[in-house]
């Protein structure tokens, strides 16, 4: 019988509900339990694929090619599991199903309503996520905050769900803000009292309250929350600010949350092994030096590059090197000055022309000055454009994404993408294999001949230009098995210059850093040392 944990949030967004859910998952995994996580997003988009990174942060891609909420990235990284399409549902996706059922006559003439038809589908999604992974514990995070109009059916569904599976089999955890008023220096519990009152108003009594605060809560504050919110005092858990996210599992464990969860869900386990996580933390917390890596992109909102930033951190963990990450605006006129301060340059994925010419300049700078470089997806495409323009004599080379009349379309739309009209879920998505060239940097980094990586693109290196690129010294070191699609390119006359058509950041874990990121950080650290010597 699967046990269920529902995490909800109060007051405001960005309190870290996703990280809290991921943390609980890691703690239960360390007790030997098989865990999965489902993110339920109350917005109307069918999936996150069509959402702007400015508003919503990055789109996280799973092995099976689902375009999902970035919280799935936290779950995968913290718990070290691979999720799929069933692990993220939205109002749009579920309504789509309900409406199709209605058209097919499946409701036998009933008046189709939010309760029970929509809520029944939501409950089916929860069961489906648990079943798909055969999890012993299924954590379900409800997006948004309690009280949002669009979230109401979700809270109703989880309220019903608990009654159906029984009190011993489901648990509600609510995350709330406990602010300190700067003028009075006082810790305030009223926000928490109010959000719990709102939750109780819709029939959900939390079992555990996670309190986001500047510092660990004093006993009297915990006592107050316990009294007003009707939870035992040991179930009021401090979630203080941390220097780094990866410290959170250790803090939560100290607060005793795992024992409480195991007890409340009648889960019996003898295992308790956090060593993999604490070993990783030790490496992170005791760096032997540091380096500065610039993400040369166009968004100045960290969530837009969440997995890339995390993967850079993992690269640092691999080498015991602290990575100072700078977000560089490729549209700035002071680009060159900013590039000079970097030990490594990363050009991430993206869409549209804005910022491209600056990305190309950053890549040229990296290539010509021996600065370690990693290009991802659009970063690979920009690297190929740069190489064609500056090394192959094709000054007007471009991608047809930016200039459909270019005389040298070195990047062009994939054939199978050309007739697609719908924007949602139609890119080349998810895992595809690539074969690596023996003796290449890629083969050395991966220590493999064949790899599988996650993709999200419509354009590719034009097959017609493979030859001229190679003749001028670019190595195509990763190819699709049919030999037609360039998956990795590298420039051997350089300490570290490599770019991938896929997104390596989605498979990187703190406990298993991705080789392309580890390679970049290792090379950047060496570059930083050389720079100091000069
Ligand atoms: N816009 C490019 C494409 O569609 C790159 C996509 C990306 O970087 N994810 O191929």
């Amino acid at each position: 019988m699967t046990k269920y944990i529902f995490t909800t949030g109060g007051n405001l967004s960005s309190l870290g509900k996703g990280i809290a859910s991921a943390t609980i998952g890691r703690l239960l995994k360390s007790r030997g339990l098989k865990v999965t996580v489902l993110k339920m997003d109350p917005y109307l988009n069918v999936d996150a694929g069509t959402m702007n990174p400015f508003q919503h942060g990055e789109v996280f891609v799973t092995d099976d090619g689902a375009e999902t909420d970035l919280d799935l990235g936290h779950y995968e990284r913290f718990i070290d599991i691979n999720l799929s399409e069933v692990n993220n549902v939205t109002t749009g996706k579920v309504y789509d199903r309900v409406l199709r059922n209605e058209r097919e006559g499946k409701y036998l003439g009933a008046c189709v309503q939010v309760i029970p038809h929509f809520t029944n589908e939501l409950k089916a999604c929860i069961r489906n996520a648990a079943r798909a992974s055969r999890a012993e514990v299924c954590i379900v995070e409800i997006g948004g905050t309690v009280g949002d109009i669009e979230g109401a059916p979700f809270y109703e569904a989880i309220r019903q769900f608990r009654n159906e599976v029984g009190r011993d089999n489901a648990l509600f955890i609510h995350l709330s803000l406990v602010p300190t008023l700067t003028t009075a220096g006082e810790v305030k519990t009223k926000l928490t009292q109010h959000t719990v009152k709102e939750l109780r108003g819709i029939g959900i009594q939390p079992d555990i309250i996670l309190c986001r605060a500047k510092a660990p809560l004093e006993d009297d504050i915990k006592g107050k929350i316990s009294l007003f919110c009707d939870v035992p005092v040991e179930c009021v858990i401090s979630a203080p600010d941390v220097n780094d996210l990866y410290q959170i599992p250790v803090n939560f464990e100290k607060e005793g949350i795992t024992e409480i969860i195991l007890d409340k869900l009648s889960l019996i386990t003898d295992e308790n092994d956090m060593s993999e996580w604490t070993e990783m933390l030790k490496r992170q917390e005791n760096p032997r030096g540091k380096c500065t890596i610039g993400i040369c992109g166009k968004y100045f909102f960290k969530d837009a590059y969440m997995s890339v930033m995390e993967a850079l951190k993992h690269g640092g963990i691999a080498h015991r090197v602290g990575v100072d990450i700078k977000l560089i605006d490729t549209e700035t006129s002071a680009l060159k000055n900013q590039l000079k301060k970097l030990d490594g340059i990363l050009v991430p994925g993206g869409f549209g022309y804005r910022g491209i010419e600056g990305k190309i300049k950053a890549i040229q700078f990296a290539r010509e000055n021996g600065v370690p470089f990693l290009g991802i997806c659009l970063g690979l495409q920009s690297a190929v454009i740069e190489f064609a323009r500056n090394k192959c004599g094709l000054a007007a080379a471009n991608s047809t994404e930016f200039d459909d009349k270019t005389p040298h379309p070195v990047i062009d739309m994939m054939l199978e993408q050309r007739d697609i009209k719908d924007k949602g879920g139609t890119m080349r998505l998810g895992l595809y294999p690539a074969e690596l060239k023996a003796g290449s940097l890629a083969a050395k980094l991966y220590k493999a001949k064949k790899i599988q990586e996650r993709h999200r693109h419509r354009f590719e290196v034009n097959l017609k230009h493979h030859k001229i690129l190679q003749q001028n010294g670019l190595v195509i070191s990763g190819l699709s098995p049919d030999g037609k699609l360039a998956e990795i390119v590298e420039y051997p006359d350089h300490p570290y210059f490599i770019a991938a058509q896929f997104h390596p950041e989605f498979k990187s874990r703190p406990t298993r850093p991705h080789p392309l990121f580890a390679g970049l950080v290792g090379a950047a650290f060496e570059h930083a040392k050389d720079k100091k010597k000069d």
Side-chain angles (χ1 to χ4, degrees):
M1 167 87 202
T2 308
K3 308 281 181 171
Y4 295 88
I5 297 175
F6 296 100
T7 52
T8 55
N11 325 123
L12 42 105
S13 61
S14 303
L15 281 186
K17 207 163 8 93
I19 307 279
S21 306
T23 292
I24 292 165
R26 168 50 72 164
L27 292 174
L28 293 173
K29 184 181 179 179
S30 72
R31 302 299 179 113
L33 295 164
K34 194 162 174 12
V35 180
T36 194
V37 194
L38 165 63
K39 175 81 191 282
M40 300 190 104
D41 280 310
Y43 48 70
L44 281 169
N45 304 60
V46 172
D47 60 37
T50 51
M51 282 198 266
N52 186 329
F54 253 135
Q55 276 178 25
H56 199 75
E58 80 173 5
V59 177
F60 186 80
V61 180
T62 52
D63 278 351
D64 63 346
E67 297 175 279
T68 71
D69 185 77
L70 59 73
D71 277 329
L72 271 79
H74 294 311
Y75 310 153
E76 288 205 351
R77 286 185 287 270
F78 274 67
I79 315 173
D80 196 5
I81 45 174
N82 290 329
L83 300 172
S84 74
E85 193 254 334
V86 300
N87 296 93
N88 191 193
V89 301
T90 67
T91 297
K93 190 160 151 182
V94 181
Y95 262 118
D96 192 40
R97 211 169 292 156
V98 172
L99 295 178
R100 250 183 300 132
N101 285 344
E102 187 273 335
R103 288 291 85 178
E104 286 168 18
K106 289 202 178 139
Y107 296 117
L108 305 175
C111 169
V112 183
Q113 294 182 298
V114 173
I115 308 172
H117 300 98
F118 182 59
T119 46
N120 281 352
E121 278 300 329
L122 291 176
K123 288 187 286 181
C125 290
I126 298 172
R127 288 206 167 81
N128 189 28
R131 202 179 314 117
S133 63
R134 295 202 189 85
E136 290 164 280
V137 183
C138 176
I139 300 169
V140 181
E141 177 187 343
I142 309 296
T145 46
V146 60
D148 297 345
I149 290 177
E150 56 184 12
F154 291 76
Y155 295 94
E156 171 60 14
I158 62 174
R159 185 194 65 75
Q160 293 175 12
F161 197 94
R162 189 191 207 180
N163 280 338
E164 286 169 23
V165 296
R167 300 237 139 214
D168 272 0
N169 298 318
L171 173 68
F172 291 118
I173 301 184
H174 192 57
L175 179 69
S176 169
L177 181 66
V178 182
T180 304
L181 283 191
T182 35
T183 40
E186 240 180 299
V187 179
K188 292 297 194 187
T189 65
K190 197 63 122 205
L191 283 182
T192 303
Q193 294 179 39
H194 274 295
T195 170
V196 170
K197 190 170 157 197
E198 185 139 33
L199 201 57
R200 289 162 77 177
I202 52 179
I204 295 174
Q205 166 65 41
D207 299 287
I208 295 173
I209 301 176
L210 293 175
C211 302
R212 270 310 306 279
K214 262 201 159 74
L217 299 186
E218 301 290 344
D219 286 349
D220 61 326
I221 299 293
K222 283 192 173 179
K224 207 166 168 187
I225 293 172
S226 156
L227 181 69
F228 283 105
C229 301
D230 203 18
V231 295
V233 72
E234 65 274 14
C235 297
V236 179
I237 304 285
S238 290
D241 291 349
V242 284
N243 292 332
D244 190 84
L245 299 179
Y246 298 154
Q247 293 163 350
I248 297 173
V250 177
N251 288 353
F252 274 29
E253 178 72 17
K254 275 192 208 138
E255 287 276 302
I257 193 172
T258 326
E259 295 300 332
I260 295 169
I261 292 173
L262 295 176
D263 184 50
K264 286 197 183 287
L265 291 176
S266 310
L267 282 162
I268 298 162
T269 148
D270 302 327
E271 233 181 282
N272 189 358
D273 184 6
M274 277 282 278
S275 58
E276 190 191 31
W277 195 262
T278 49
E279 284 303 314
M280 176 277 291
L281 265 188
K282 245 193 255 160
R283 298 181 67 79
Q284 189 188 28
E285 287 168 354
N286 299 292
R288 59 194 167 108
K290 65 173 210 135
C291 62
T292 306
I293 295 185
I295 298 180
C296 299
K298 63 175 174 184
Y299 300 117
F300 299 92
F301 169 47
K302 287 186 173 164
D303 281 7
Y305 300 120
M306 178 68 77
S307 292
V308 171
M309 294 177 74
E310 291 298 301
L312 282 172
K313 235 162 67 181
H314 306 163
I317 292 168
H319 292 279
R320 282 213 302 114
V321 167
V323 184
D324 188 8
I325 301 171
K326 297 260 183 284
L327 293 184
I328 309 280
D329 175 6
T330 53
E331 289 186 302
T332 171
S333 54
L335 183 62
K336 199 126 190 202
N337 281 339
Q338 297 193 16
L339 294 175
K340 281 186 187 150
K341 295 182 195 142
L342 303 174
D343 306 314
I345 290 177
L346 188 149
V347 175
F351 296 83
Y353 183 61
R354 187 169 73 79
I356 289 295
E357 295 302 332
K359 287 181 183 173
I360 292 172
K361 279 200 191 103
I363 295 166
Q364 183 178 7
F365 180 87
R367 189 175 56 73
E368 291 178 349
N369 295 289
V371 182
F373 164 74
L374 173 61
I376 296 175
C377 205
L378 186 65
L380 172 139
Q381 298 174 0
S382 308
V384 167
I385 297 170
E386 190 279 324
F387 197 82
R389 287 184 187 176
N390 299 322
K391 290 286 279 183
C392 306
L394 308 176
N398 216 332
S399 163
T400 52
E401 182 178 0
F402 315 130
D403 175 9
D404 55 10
K405 303 213 167 47
T406 171
H408 309 296
V410 288
I411 306 295
D412 202 5
M413 191 180 276
M414 284 180 275
L415 263 183
E416 53 279 29
Q417 286 284 330
R418 297 199 181 162
D419 294 327
I420 292 173
K421 294 271 173 311
D422 269 358
K423 290 272 183 273
T426 54
M427 281 186 251
R428 180 171 180 255
L429 289 165
L431 281 190
Y432 283 93
E435 285 165 10
L436 305 183
K437 191 180 166 100
S440 64
L441 174 62
K444 266 184 235 146
L445 290 165
Y446 277 97
K447 298 188 183 73
K449 286 191 188 136
K450 196 167 177 179
I451 57 167
Q452 297 262 2
E453 290 279 6
R454 298 184 190 174
H455 296 72
R456 183 172 186 248
H457 64 123
R458 289 189 208 282
F459 291 80
E460 64 177 337
V461 181
N462 195 335
L463 187 57
K464 290 187 196 125
H465 290 84
H466 281 203
K467 201 162 164 203
I468 185 167
L469 293 166
Q470 286 169 310
Q471 278 167 347
N472 287 285
L474 195 71
V475 172
I476 301 180
S477 55
L479 274 168
S480 56
D482 66 3
K484 290 188 179 158
L485 191 142
E487 290 279 8
I488 305 179
V489 303
E490 53 190 75
Y491 184 55
D493 196 13
H494 191 281
Y496 190 88
F497 189 100
I498 191 161
Q501 183 55 74
F502 48 81
H503 290 269
E505 69 272 26
F506 295 141
K507 281 180 81 175
S508 190
R509 309 276 158 90
T511 49
R512 285 189 297 125
H514 191 286
L516 294 183
F517 284 90
L520 176 67
V521 175
F525 185 53
E526 291 307 317
H527 187 76
K529 282 199 283 191
D530 291 347
K531 257 192 355 197
K532 259 196 206 140
K533 276 187 224 146
D534 289 346

